[in-house]
Amino acid sequence: MGTGRAVPDRVLTNAELEKMVDTTDEWITERTGIKERRIAAPDESLSDFALPAAERALESAGISGSEVDMVICATVSPDMSFPATSTLIQDRIGATGAAAFDLSAACTGFVYALGIAAQFLETGWARTALVVGGEVLSKITDWTDRNTCVLFGDGAGAVVLRAAEDDKRGVLGVAMHSDGSLGDLIYLPGGGSQHPQSESVLDQSLNFLKMKGNETFKIAVRSLAEVSDEVLSRNRLSHGEVDWFIPHQANRRIIDAVGQRLEIREGRTYVNIERYGNTSAASIPIALDELNRDGKISPGDVVLLSAFGSGLTWGAGLIRW
Ligand code: ACO
């Protein structure tokens, strides 16, 4: 019914990163496609972006927060471990008594959350769902590690869903997968019950995200293509029928490789990684909101979303707009 987004005001360019770590604009642009990213101020947290994104989605849907009976916030960088950031959103939008929970599936979080919300609407167990994907990864990024700090950005995107009368439109299907044996490819070791915050966690930099980028890259291309195929074939749709392909924005080379494998029509893969970097769970809803507000998606369009991330997790969603 509606979409919204909110990102920090602060723009961090590749030129600025050149002064922070041993890197170049050329390397970052060529290897990732990223030119700049948005970074939260020290006193900003996830809810500073998740809440305005949610409010804009409600406004574009033309409904009030009191009509929402389910709030899901997909994130791995919540305001705090608990209570869930979604409960804060629930309270601030006035969704009195709504179910609210955070969902942890890293970059795949929005696709998972979309699938869960759609199922609740389908069964009638919820009537109106607000699904938010948001991250402030800058707070768990090691700004001295050039392998990771050039990649990520902050922000949030949101969508409002309501059970449709017309069953030809809406979320046609979602496929979700994981492989926990690959958990060490991207993870945050510190701050949980295994390594609670302590001097030693800080000394060993366990409070920062770790990633084996190169190994993740190869798996990402394969899993994104496979899961996209899965959701398309389940709905008896061909690659050529996709009007918009919105992949998770992790790396321009991954996006291009998957687009080619899927034979997505020319100009129909949405890319905004150059402006935001990898915003994890926020990347797909931010992209959806840009497309929607720019009037590029038309009613009836087939929109394919696919994402992968820490877990590893991966998934795809198919929407008839
Ligand atoms: N500037 C300059 N050189 C760099 C930088 C940098 N910022 N970062 C790494 N390098 C160097 C490396 O040190 C390495 O040098 P070496 O050969 O001397 O050791 C060289 O560049 C090549 O490194 P690779 O890791 O092989 O580079 P690659 O082409 O794979 O690109 C990247 C790295 C961009 C991380 C890529 O692998 C990638 O995007 N992977 C996927 C990441 C991802 O999508 N993760 C999942 C989502 S994250 C989540 O769920 C929260």
Side-chain angles (χ1 to χ4, degrees):
M1 293 183 72
T3 63
R5 70 176 186 278
V7 296
D9 293 334
R10 165 89 167 96
V11 176
L12 179 69
T13 63
N14 290 350
E16 286 172 273
L17 279 164
E18 285 180 349
K19 295 183 194 124
M20 294 161 61
V21 288
D22 180 15
T23 191
T24 58
D25 171 41
E26 194 190 355
W27 191 94
I28 303 171
T29 307
E30 262 178 25
R31 309 305 295 166
T32 73
I34 303 165
K35 296 298 284 182
E36 60 185 41
R37 66 287 290 145
R38 300 301 184 102
I39 300 294
D43 63 346
E44 285 176 325
S45 60
L46 175 62
S47 57
D48 289 304
F49 311 110
L51 186 62
E55 287 168 340
R56 285 165 198 161
L58 288 168
E59 196 188 346
S60 97
I63 66 162
S64 92
S66 61
E67 295 174 60
V68 171
D69 55 6
M70 170 165 279
V71 181
I72 311 178
C73 181
T75 187
V76 290
S77 46
D79 278 22
M80 42 185 120
S81 293
F82 64 89
T85 303
S86 54
T87 58
L88 211 145
I89 300 168
Q90 170 274 325
D91 176 46
R92 300 281 287 277
I93 63 169
T96 311
F101 60 96
D102 288 1
L103 188 150
S104 172
C107 304
T108 320
F110 180 79
V111 172
Y112 268 56
L114 186 76
I116 291 167
Q119 281 300 304
F120 270 84
L121 299 180
E122 191 97 6
T123 57
W125 289 9
R127 190 173 136 66
T128 307
L130 171 69
V131 178
V132 183
E135 303 286 4
V136 184
L137 292 182
S138 63
K139 306 262 180 151
I140 51 169
T141 296
D142 181 350
W143 290 99
T144 65
D145 174 16
R146 71 174 183 176
N147 290 296
T148 52
C149 77
V150 304
L151 303 174
F152 301 108
D154 302 333
V159 299
V160 175
L161 305 166
R162 180 169 280 177
E165 308 284 315
D166 171 2
D167 66 2
K168 291 192 183 64
R169 290 178 62 196
V171 180
L172 301 178
V174 172
M176 316 192 294
H177 298 286
S178 74
D179 182 353
S181 72
L182 300 169
D184 66 342
L185 292 184
I186 318 162
Y187 68 116
L188 177 67
S193 55
Q194 192 177 37
H195 299 290
Q197 289 300 6
S198 66
E199 292 268 319
S200 117
V201 162
L202 298 180
D203 289 345
Q204 297 172 73
S205 297
L206 300 183
N207 54 320
F208 295 131
L209 174 160
K210 319 282 174 203
M211 185 171 78
K212 294 176 187 160
N214 194 275
E215 287 168 56
T216 311
F217 191 102
K218 293 167 204 156
I219 301 166
V221 174
R222 196 182 62 230
S223 57
L224 282 172
E226 281 175 4
V227 77
S228 299
D229 266 340
E230 179 185 341
V231 82
L232 281 170
S233 63
R234 223 198 268 159
N235 285 278
R236 295 190 182 81
L237 285 168
S238 69
H239 299 162
E241 288 173 280
V242 174
D243 295 298
W244 281 107
F245 175 44
I246 309 182
H248 169 47
Q249 310 282 310
N251 185 309
R252 175 82 211 214
R253 290 183 294 137
I254 296 176
I255 295 171
D256 290 344
V258 176
Q260 269 166 21
R261 275 200 197 192
L262 292 177
E263 296 172 337
I264 298 296
R265 285 182 284 145
E266 186 73 27
R268 289 292 166 161
T269 299
Y270 192 71
V271 184
N272 62 10
I273 191 170
E274 68 284 358
R275 288 178 283 126
Y276 299 119
N278 176 353
T279 58
S280 185
S283 89
I284 289 177
I286 287 176
L288 251 186
D289 185 55
E290 288 192 339
L291 271 172
N292 187 26
R293 280 176 197 265
D294 291 349
K296 290 183 179 152
I297 313 186
S298 310
D301 276 358
V302 173
V303 182
L304 171 66
L305 321 171
S306 69
F308 70 97
S310 171
L312 290 182
T313 54
W314 63 100
L318 202 58
I319 301 170
R320 172 87 65 184
W321 201 259

